[in-house]
Amino acid sequence: MIRFVSSSGDSCSCVGKRFRGLYTEAMNSSKAVGLADVAREAGVSLATASRALNSAYGVAAATRERVAEVARRLEYVASPEASRLATGTTRTIALVVPHIDRWYFGEMVNGLEEILREAGNDVLLYHVGDPEGRHAFFEHLPARRKVDAVVVVAVPITDHERRRLELMGVTIVAAGGQDATYPYVSIDDAAAVRQATEHLLRLGHRRIATITAVDPDRVEQPARRGRTRGFYEAMADAGVTVDEELVVTTTWGGVQAAEAMEKLLSVRELPTAVLAHSDEMALGAMRTIRRAGLRVPEDISVIGIDDHPLAELVDLTTVRQPVRDQGMHAAHLLLALLRGEDPDRAQKLPTRVVVRSTTAPARNDQPSPARPATGATQH
Amino acid sequence: MIRFVSSSGDSCSCVGKRFRGLYTEAMNSSKAVGLADVAREAGVSLATASRALNSAYGVAAATRERVAEVARRLEYVASPEASRLATGTTRTIALVVPHIDRWYFGEMVNGLEEILREAGNDVLLYHVGDPEGRHAFFEHLPARRKVDAVVVVAVPITDHERRRLELMGVTIVAAGGQDATYPYVSIDDAAAVRQATEHLLRLGHRRIATITAVDPDRVEQPARRGRTRGFYEAMADAGVTVDEELVVTTTWGGVQAAEAMEKLLSVRELPTAVLAHSDEMALGAMRTIRRAGLRVPEDISVIGIDDHPLAELVDLTTVRQPVRDQGMHAAHLLLALLRGEDPDRAQKLPTRVVVRSTTAPARNDQPSPARPATGATQH
DNA sequence: CTGAAAGCGCTTACAG
DNA sequence: CTGAAAGCGCTTACAG
């Protein structure tokens, strides 16, 4: 930890010259207190000191007290390397995140980190952007035996990857993804889209377009399946035929959605509403609509999914998903698994429509059987 | 790592029953290959095996080759705990992040993680939201001796905190913050705001309002000082007197900015342009303007700072700052410091105005000495 | 309840 | 160039 490599004595990490004296002194004098110091000071053996600090049994209350007191006074903290080596446990959990720079992932990590750290774990961040990164991660991490568990954030993993982790005894959990093969917590994608679709249907829309998102390099695309399914089901339930021309697919992203929207605007008969698979995509669609000289929601209603923090600022109607909560639940799920409990391995958190001002009743070119929403929030 | 705690044999982490046989087998048979296995297989001692794999000197080329080959074949990976214990180094770097869920922080972490991991370090994530979290971090982390260095993302730290880290020999670097007391990479806040202000001035605006951001619980507020200063300087240079009524301060956030904008709209003579300290805040201001029945940019021009990914989708004019780059540069700075080199300890990355459509020439109630910008990007 | 001792899996002077 | 041995700082059976 204390690092004075250079023999010439001029390189004490990044510390300015004026501090050098101070540093040398600190190095020589303090040298992190260890268990031995605590034991000596408390007048017990190493073994007893260790037990007093860790295990619940086998130490006289008075002894435990005394040791604890000394440890506190000396600001003793066990060397994690040493105790990990000795116990064979790491108390470290890896987070595998494809796009840490996107709100969704950051929020998820936020929730995960909070719970995992509270439980005494270290949280290692692995950003795996592209397929190679994923590959490298799954090939090396388990072998490194650095972690007790890994939580993958919205990344479907292959069977091979999963098996590799399992074989090494690494517990795996998915946050925000969903996959029957390992425990997860997510939203019900189909239900979310169904809610969005039903909101539009309730407003009297019939020509509803949807901008569907897929991952460019994912092996599976559950979200697409799930979300798209919700749309078709809701339309069918309402007895509305889906015009396949109004179903466009693109990769995640606002710009991509903006381009997809151009396609939708070049259809013979324009849609009166469009449902995007994320708020970001909804904003992209809105830009195209706006640039085409059309208005939202007067000419075309737009609804997204997420309730991104900025959605509120641009008055975007959307389906809210609790992202941070998904992270927290996933963390709890993982901890339960690590404890050897048997928690619910398939948790879905509810979503709900948040009505703002990018959706409006369809104009009277279609019959409008349902009443328009009233501006309040609904389930 | 392999974890079969229960004596009844029914709790192999989170693995389903059908896998139990497989697991037990794996556990019994494989048991992670260690240096000893490599050494034996290669017919050398532990010491030689270790040297062959790590140090550059002191091993015959042929020996090194053979050991490396065996290691590869056995898929050997050193136990990080053991080697850290033995070397006293952690190869671990902590990232202290106040709001991982915001784009700016996620992007920064993205850049940091990439470079630090490439260099062979583990990246530990610490989300410290509130002052207590910060306190806990700085009090415990150094004592834990878990990390070689910490990079604080846009969090000014107190002198006491800094000293604590330094005394433990932990190298510290700031990414996105700026502070004369430790090495950093950031943008020039004053320059960024100056660019924004000059853009508005160039469009002929004179009644320029600014929504200034401060951190609620920060000890220092360099950004505020810096950014605010840029505004006053640019105005002074242009010979325009700042109307103090048009300078409002609030905490970071779109909703807060929306409220601040209400204040600006209740001034006797409305501003013709407003400069917000972030894009999110700009969007908040725009919402208030829109809801007041005014148009952007026809009635009021709006410019932000950041070039948030969504800024492009809402056509927001802004000052772009390279966030990921700041993270990458900060990582390189840190690595250089750890290597004992003497890098530039005060790196500022350039920003530039990105003109989109929320700013327009001031209407002719004021003289317009400069030509309006032409829609292209400018420095 | 407590202690002496072995061991976790590496690295690294110290001798050849 | 190579090996035997000590040591990194804990934890945990194994004996009292």
Side-chain angles (χ1 to χ4, degrees), chain B residues 24-64:
Chain B
T24 309
E25 180 182 298
M27 175 182 73
N28 294 335
S29 61
S30 62
K31 196 176 182 317
V33 343
L35 223 210
D37 302 296
V38 176
R40 185 179 344 103
E41 198 83 356
V44 297
S45 69
L46 266 178
T48 300
S50 176
R51 282 196 210 92
L53 263 17
N54 301 315
S55 50
Y57 292 90
V59 183
T63 311
R64 172 191 314 293

Side-chain angles (χ1 to χ4, degrees), chain B residues 36-363:
Chain B
D37 302 296
V38 176
R40 185 179 344 103
E41 198 83 356
V44 297
S45 69
L46 266 178
T48 300
S50 176
R51 282 196 210 92
L53 263 17
N54 301 315
S55 50
Y57 292 90
V59 183
T63 311
R64 172 191 314 293
E65 192 85 341
R66 187 152 34 91
V67 174
E69 150 60 15
V70 172
R72 207 175 307 120
R73 180 156 52 76
L74 267 44
E75 289 191 290
Y76 166 76
V77 185
S79 152
E81 279 72 40
S83 68
R84 285 171 185 174
L85 220 210
T87 59
T89 206
T90 72
R91 305 274 309 171
T92 297
I93 291 168
L95 263 35
V96 184
V97 186
H99 307 283
I100 184 65
D101 51 318
R102 290 208 213 140
W103 163 76
Y104 173 87
F105 296 94
E107 192 82 2
M108 194 72 87
V109 166
N110 189 162
L112 285 161
E113 199 265 359
E114 175 172 338
I115 303 303
L116 294 177
R117 187 169 299 291
E118 269 178 16
N121 298 283
D122 271 342
V123 177
L124 229 39
L125 182 68
Y126 283 86
H127 176 235
V128 295
D130 46 24
E132 301 89 72
R134 284 163 42 95
H135 183 75
F137 172 81
F138 285 104
E139 287 308 308
H140 291 145
L141 180 80
R144 293 194 184 282
R145 302 158 297 178
K146 282 196 214 183
V147 301
D148 290 334
V150 359
V151 8
V152 295
V153 177
V155 202
I157 64 173
T158 64
D159 277 355
H160 170 252
E161 292 167 338
R162 178 171 49 80
R163 240 174 283 121
R164 228 184 122 76
L165 291 180
E166 287 179 346
L167 280 171
M168 304 302 296
V170 174
T171 300
I172 178 170
V173 154
Q178 50 200 309
D179 196 313
T181 55
Y182 45 96
Y184 69 84
V185 9
S186 71
I187 58 168
D188 184 331
D189 278 314
V193 170
R194 171 183 277 274
Q195 290 171 329
T197 311
E198 286 172 349
H199 170 67
L200 297 174
L201 287 165
R202 231 170 355 245
L203 289 172
H205 293 282
R206 290 301 173 267
R207 280 196 67 71
I208 302 177
T210 179
I211 302 178
T212 293
V214 298
D215 269 339
D217 51 46
R218 287 297 97 91
V219 272
E220 308 176 64
Q221 317 192 309
R224 192 251 161 120
R225 275 206 316 270
R227 295 199 172 174
T228 306
R229 181 163 58 78
F231 175 70
Y232 281 97
E233 286 179 1
M235 293 290 270
D237 287 357
V240 180
T241 312
V242 172
D243 181 346
E244 290 296 338
E245 255 191 328
L246 298 185
V247 177
V248 295
T249 296
T250 185
T251 51
W252 294 97
V255 174
Q256 292 88 321
E259 287 164 7
M261 190 69 220
E262 289 173 9
K263 259 186 255 168
L264 292 175
L265 291 186
S266 53
V267 144
R268 304 147 303 158
E269 189 189 348
L270 290 186
T272 66
V274 25
L275 183 169
H277 273 190
S278 76
D279 287 349
E280 193 181 351
M281 296 181 85
L283 289 183
M286 283 167 66
R287 186 178 74 177
T288 298
I289 295 171
R290 195 190 323 130
R291 289 185 178 175
L294 297 170
R295 291 156 308 161
V296 174
E298 291 82 351
D299 298 308
I300 301 184
S301 285
V302 175
I303 187 170
I305 287 179
D306 274 351
D307 200 21
H308 187 291
L310 296 191
E312 180 187 0
L313 300 179
V314 296
D315 281 327
L316 175 68
T317 297
T318 188
V319 176
R320 175 173 219 293
Q321 67 162 319
V323 182
R324 186 150 179 279
D325 281 356
Q326 288 177 68
M328 297 177 77
H329 277 78
H332 283 302
L333 169 56
L334 177 56
L335 292 171
L337 290 169
L338 288 175
R339 268 186 252 112
E341 297 169 9
D342 186 29
D344 181 0
R345 288 154 187 273
Q347 300 178 23
K348 300 206 178 184
L349 268 35
T351 53
R352 65 183 174 76
V353 174
V354 177
V355 179
R356 288 196 273 250
S357 52
T358 56
T359 49
R363 290 197 286 184

Side-chain angles (χ1 to χ4, degrees), chain A residues 10 12-21 23, chain B residues 166 181 183 345:
Chain A
D10 60 12
C12 37
S13 298
C14 72
V15 194
K17 301 217 165 162
R18 65 200 162 105
F19 286 122
R20 205 181 319 142
Y23 269 69
Chain B
E166 287 179 346
T181 55
R345 288 154 187 273

Side-chain angles (χ1 to χ4, degrees), chain A residues 286-340:
Chain A
M286 283 168 65
R287 185 178 75 176
T288 299
I289 295 171
R290 194 191 322 131
R291 290 185 177 175
L294 299 170
R295 292 156 308 160
V296 174
E298 291 83 352
D299 298 308
I300 300 184
S301 285
V302 175
I303 187 169
I305 288 181
D306 274 352
D307 200 21
H308 187 292
L310 296 190
E312 179 188 359
L313 299 179
V314 296
D315 281 327
L316 176 67
T317 296
T318 189
V319 175
R320 175 173 220 292
Q321 67 162 319
V323 182
R324 187 151 177 279
D325 281 355
Q326 289 177 67
M328 297 177 76
H329 277 77
H332 283 302
L333 169 58
L334 177 56
L335 293 172
L337 290 169
L338 287 175
R339 270 186 250 111

Side-chain angles (χ1 to χ4, degrees), chain A residues 192-334:
Chain A
V193 170
R194 171 184 277 274
Q195 289 171 330
T197 311
E198 286 172 350
H199 170 67
L200 297 174
L201 287 166
R202 236 174 347 246
L203 289 172
H205 293 282
R206 291 299 173 268
R207 279 196 68 71
I208 302 178
T210 179
I211 302 178
T212 293
V214 297
D215 269 339
D217 50 46
R218 287 297 96 91
V219 273
E220 309 176 64
Q221 316 192 309
R224 192 250 162 122
R225 274 206 317 271
R227 295 199 172 174
T228 305
R229 182 163 57 79
F231 175 69
Y232 281 97
E233 285 178 1
M235 293 289 269
D237 286 358
V240 180
T241 312
V242 172
D243 180 346
E244 290 296 338
E245 254 191 329
L246 298 184
V247 177
V248 296
T249 296
T250 185
T251 51
W252 294 98
V255 174
Q256 292 88 321
E259 287 163 7
M261 191 68 220
E262 289 173 9
K263 259 186 258 170
L264 291 175
L265 290 187
S266 53
V267 143
R268 305 148 301 157
E269 189 189 348
L270 289 186
T272 65
V274 23
L275 184 169
H277 273 191
S278 77
D279 287 348
E280 193 180 352
M281 296 180 85
L283 290 183
M286 283 168 65
R287 185 178 75 176
T288 299
I289 295 171
R290 194 191 322 131
R291 290 185 177 175
L294 299 170
R295 292 156 308 160
V296 174
E298 291 83 352
D299 298 308
I300 300 184
S301 285
V302 175
I303 187 169
I305 288 181
D306 274 352
D307 200 21
H308 187 292
L310 296 190
E312 179 188 359
L313 299 179
V314 296
D315 281 327
L316 176 67
T317 296
T318 189
V319 175
R320 175 173 220 292
Q321 67 162 319
V323 182
R324 187 151 177 279
D325 281 355
Q326 289 177 67
M328 297 177 76
H329 277 77
H332 283 302
L333 169 58
L334 177 56

